[in-house]
Amino acid sequence: QVHLVQSGAEVRKPGASVKVSCKASGYTFTYSYMHWVRQAPGQGLEWMGWINPNGGATIYAQRFQGRVTMTRDTSINTAHMELSRLTSDDTAVYYCATGEVPAAIQYNFWGQGTLVTVSS
Amino acid sequence: QSVLTQPPSVSAAPGQKVTISCSGSSSNIGNNYVSWYQQLPETAPKLLIYDNHERPSGIPDRFSGSKSGTSATLGITGLQTGDEADYYCATWDTSLSIVVFGGGTKLTVL
């Protein structure tokens, strides 16, 4: 059974960075891309990018270029998403998601979400 | 402003049918597969439809998907109060090189 378990809620001040983790189990971690999607309070879903755990290649949405870094540690089946230079607009629930087909936009499995609050 | 356009809300009575549209362009829906997600309050989204019309195991056949040109549609029959949720379409946008989501549609089962 596939599980994606994310790290706990975080509070940061404007200008700081945050790193969210996503531990995968129940499947071959390097098989499927890991995507990151965020959702601001009361808003819709927004894609941030993906990482291919097999090799570490990444694709980021242009609006996050230069601020987001996605990494993975295959020894512990964990993906990380770090976002820097935070502003209040980055307050959101951050999800990791993956699917049964490596490069497809098909998110069969989601983490529980990590609330990141940016406040002075 | 989302690249994919969905109606903000739809409603119907229990037992009835509802459709949710998702309108895009040739750079996204027109040339890529569409998936649909259900998000119940305070929970992570759940995959309902992939590859335009395929259902993952465990998703009842009350849920259906279709695509025509640059638009996709999610259909839900036999509405239940438990279907009250936000629904999102998603696909790859070849021009923007990003995954795009619709703005979401809130379903109310009256």
Side-chain angles (χ1 to χ4, degrees), chain B residues 42 46 62 77 84 95 103-104:
Chain B
E42 307 300 323
K46 174 183 179 181
R62 299 189 301 109
T77 60
E84 285 202 336
S95 296

Side-chain angles (χ1 to χ4, degrees), chain A residues 19-30:
Chain A
K19 190 171 186 177
V20 179
S21 299
C22 172
K23 183 170 177 59
S25 62
Y27 73 103
T28 302
F29 179 62
T30 52

Side-chain angles (χ1 to χ4, degrees), chain B residues 5-52:
Chain B
T5 301
Q6 297 182 232
S9 63
V10 295
S11 61
Q16 297 299 302
K17 173 183 178 178
V18 71
T19 60
I20 297 173
S21 61
C22 176
S23 178
S25 69
S26 58
S27 67
N28 42 66
I29 292 178
N31 284 285
N32 294 288
Y33 287 120
V34 176
S35 54
W36 287 91
Y37 301 86
Q38 176 194 61
Q39 187 176 33
L40 298 170
E42 307 300 323
T43 67
K46 174 183 179 181
L47 179 67
L48 290 178
I49 298 290
Y50 66 96
D51 288 358
N52 303 331

Side-chain angles (χ1 to χ4, degrees), chain A residues 35 37 39 43-47 50 59-62 95 105-108 110-113, chain B residues 35 37 39 43-47 50-51 56 88 90-92 97-103:
Chain A
H35 296 245
V37 176
Q39 186 171 36
Q43 303 300 308
L45 303 172
E46 180 178 28
W47 183 77
W50 77 47
I59 295 268
Y60 303 140
Q62 187 169 16
Y95 295 101
I105 311 309
Q106 173 187 329
Y107 305 133
N108 301 76
W110 294 72
Q112 82 275 21
Chain B
S35 54
Y37 301 86
Q39 187 176 33
T43 67
K46 174 183 179 181
L47 179 67
Y50 66 96
D51 288 358
Y88 295 90
T91 188
W92 178 253
S97 295
I98 60 172
V99 174
V100 289
F101 285 94

Side-chain angles (χ1 to χ4, degrees), chain A residues 85-103:
Chain A
R85 304 195 301 276
L86 293 168
T87 72
S88 58
D89 289 341
D90 295 314
T91 294
V93 175
Y94 289 76
Y95 295 101
C96 57
T98 192
E100 294 180 341
V101 179

